[in-house]
Amino acid sequence: MSAVATVQPRAMRDTLLLSLYEAMLLDRNIFLVTADFGSPVMDNIRADIPDRVINVGIAEQNLINVSAGLALEGFKVFAYAIAPFITMRCFEQIRVNLALLSELRPMNVNLIGVGAGYSYVVSGPTHQCYEDLTVMRALPNMRIYSPADQMMAAALPARCLASNGPKYLRLDAQVLPVLYADALPNFADGFHEHRKGKTVCLLATGYMVHTALKAADALAATGFSVGIIDLFDLCGFSEEQLQSVLCAYRGVVTMEEGFRGRGGMDAMMFDYIVRRGLDIRMLNIGVEGEYRFELGERHVLHEHVGIGVGSVTEKVRGFLKSLPV
Amino acid sequence: MNMLQLDADVIERLNAKAQWVWEETLRIHRRSQETRVASSLSTIEIFVTLYYGGFMRFDPDNPIWEGRDRCIISKGHGSLCMYPILADLGYFPKQELERVCQAGSFLGGIPDPVIPGYETVNGSLGHGAGVGAAMALGLKCKGKDRMVYVVTGDGELHEGSNWEAFMFAAQHRLDKLVVLVDNNHISMLGPTDEIVSHRNLVRKFDAFGWSAREVVDGHSVVAIANALLDCQRDTSGKPKAIIVNTRKGNGVPGLENAPLSHVAAIKPDLIDQLLGERR
């Protein structure tokens, strides 16, 4: 699927909040709760629907508890904060009052975390987020959506409003190229196959889908054709459908903007492959596990930690050569 | 709301219920020695006054009836005494009290909303104030004139999340929110004043924008009822706090106000002696 120039590139949070704004105008049961985190679109929502936009202040624990309390009273809630803070500052509140309580009481709470991976480039490791997939996927009942572009982000509110349960929406903070200008992927599948290839498939999420596309181009220039899958519903994808796609390959490369080998998407795919008995080799690409403090452009930082286009291309090339003929 | 008239009959009835709940709580603890009984003996009169004193609207046949007043039992470990109350009110059969902490029972050592009448998960401390505040806000937005009571412990107030919630409640003028602090002055490892002192909780709540009052004798149903009535008459528009000074392990020699009473068990012989029962 190719980008279309008529779609104005915007940040994911803006397209998502715009969709949410429209939904809030129609449905008085929707609340937007923020931990003193905003955006220009948020300013409009605050101005037009002040009674259903709640700023709890810089208080993420209370952000979650307030969201849970409103949800128990039947409201549909979107909680909004910077990704590492909305997932890890208040993890126990999420565990107790969302993951655990939703087992017993119906609730619709959607955590919007802005700043996946390195997207807050100059803010350093406190604001960057490489652990959220690990901690959030540890929770039963928690659904994780990790969109790769603004169109997917814009589609999430309707999707979230249609189904109960707690969800984590992992948004990039930067403006990324548009991938789904013509049509959205099938949400029921939970993934989208961008390209078919031979031998190896790159299975990426969020920003790393863009890296996968570039790496695939680089590999194609040297005669390697690899497939590309955007996995955006990390806990609810169709296992059967994904298997039907992966069965065409001998190897799969997981690509995440999170720590490698610490329970993120790589562990999830390992579990999936073992559980389903798939005959496929796997390479995991993720941030090599240490906190770093260098400043630089995102693609440069990515090369430092082994997830840049160059690093990925080399690792995939080596993986291809390692596969049995 | 069915306002309580504090005549002699009502007082006698509340005192009788409090005595019965105290005895039933000990009987449960005799059968299930792993239950945290000391914390549950300090809250008895709080719950008895709320549930039997006309301060709570509820429907045991429909525990999450929309028209109910909400009671968030944030110090879940200290609510063993709620089991006989809920059974007595008809939330579940009294026979279930025989099976507390046994395999297959829904009545665990720390209550969860699998128990009819419990609103939230209560095992971890510091959650009730924020959830309860938001429920009060939600009810206010829906135009529902319903109370939200949150019962918390003084040790629990060491959790910072409470104070985030208290600021939030004051900001939104959640005047139907009443926090009752079971101020038994003892945390797991000793007196709260020696761990991290709250100093003056009434003044603290007041400084946080609440209307706060103190109940000197937290084992007096009359004093608690008067404080709750005072909250009803309060037109300040502020959320309300009642600091209820209680005794951990109330009424049990050796346990009452013992610094390390939190996880202490009462020997069955002593329970029999206290209840005047022969086995």
Side-chain angles (χ1 to χ4, degrees), chain A residues 80-134:
Chain A
Y80 181 70
I82 294 175
F85 307 151
I86 202 172
T87 54
M88 289 175 273
R89 179 60 176 248
C90 46
F91 184 72
E92 213 255 348
Q93 280 75 20
I94 296 172
R95 174 178 179 266
V96 169
N97 291 318
L98 300 184
L100 214 163
L101 189 52
S102 68
E103 189 89 32
L104 301 167
R105 301 274 307 266
M107 56 168 63
N108 191 336
V109 177
N110 308 285
L111 310 180
I112 306 168
V114 179
Y118 282 83
S119 56
Y120 282 120
V121 178
V122 301
S123 299
T126 56
H127 285 59
Q128 293 161 3
C129 196
Y130 344 94
E131 309 92 338
D132 55 338
L133 293 180
T134 297

Side-chain angles (χ1 to χ4, degrees), chain B residues 262-275:
Chain B
H262 188 80
V263 290
I266 311 171
K267 290 182 177 172
D269 286 352
L270 177 56
I271 294 175
D272 292 344
Q273 184 185 329
L274 290 167
L275 298 178

Side-chain angles (χ1 to χ4, degrees), chain A residues 14-222:
Chain A
D14 289 329
T15 60
L16 185 149
L17 287 174
L18 203 55
S19 296
L20 181 59
Y21 175 49
E22 290 165 359
M24 290 176 75
L25 290 173
L26 297 173
D27 184 349
R28 291 193 52 78
N29 286 317
I30 304 172
F31 267 86
L32 174 57
V33 189
T34 174
D36 201 39
F37 182 58
S39 86
V41 178
M42 167 78 89
D43 292 340
N44 292 338
I45 306 176
R46 288 198 297 162
D48 293 350
I49 317 174
D51 56 328
R52 284 183 285 127
V53 178
I54 306 290
N55 186 354
V56 299
I58 306 163
E60 286 81 8
Q61 296 179 84
N62 204 38
L63 173 77
I64 302 302
N65 286 350
V66 164
S67 299
L70 288 169
L72 288 174
E73 288 301 329
F75 294 101
K76 301 162 191 169
V77 184
F78 288 79
Y80 181 70
I82 294 175
F85 307 151
I86 202 172
T87 54
M88 289 175 273
R89 179 60 176 248
C90 46
F91 184 72
E92 213 255 348
Q93 280 75 20
I94 296 172
R95 174 178 179 266
V96 169
N97 291 318
L98 300 184
L100 214 163
L101 189 52
S102 68
E103 189 89 32
L104 301 167
R105 301 274 307 266
M107 56 168 63
N108 191 336
V109 177
N110 308 285
L111 310 180
I112 306 168
V114 179
Y118 282 83
S119 56
Y120 282 120
V121 178
V122 301
S123 299
T126 56
H127 285 59
Q128 293 161 3
C129 196
Y130 344 94
E131 309 92 338
D132 55 338
L133 293 180
T134 297
V135 299
M136 298 305 275
R137 71 173 286 268
L139 298 170
N141 303 319
M142 181 64 68
R143 196 124 182 202
I144 302 173
Y145 288 111
S146 172
D149 87 342
Q150 66 193 59
M151 309 304 285
M152 279 288 292
L156 286 175
R159 184 77 186 171
C160 293
L161 289 166
S163 63
N164 267 345
K167 309 161 205 93
Y168 171 50
L169 318 182
R170 186 189 203 237
L171 305 189
D172 206 281
Q174 293 186 331
V175 177
L176 302 181
V178 176
L179 298 176
Y180 299 109
D182 299 330
L184 288 170
N186 182 1
F187 265 101
D189 287 346
F191 67 90
H192 179 76
E193 186 178 22
H194 279 278
R195 280 185 205 173
K196 292 188 184 300
K198 294 175 182 172
T199 312
V200 159
C201 175
L202 310 183
L203 183 77
T205 194
Y207 180 94
M208 294 305 287
V209 176
H210 301 271
T211 302
L213 287 163
K214 290 175 184 168
D217 288 342
L219 289 161
T222 54

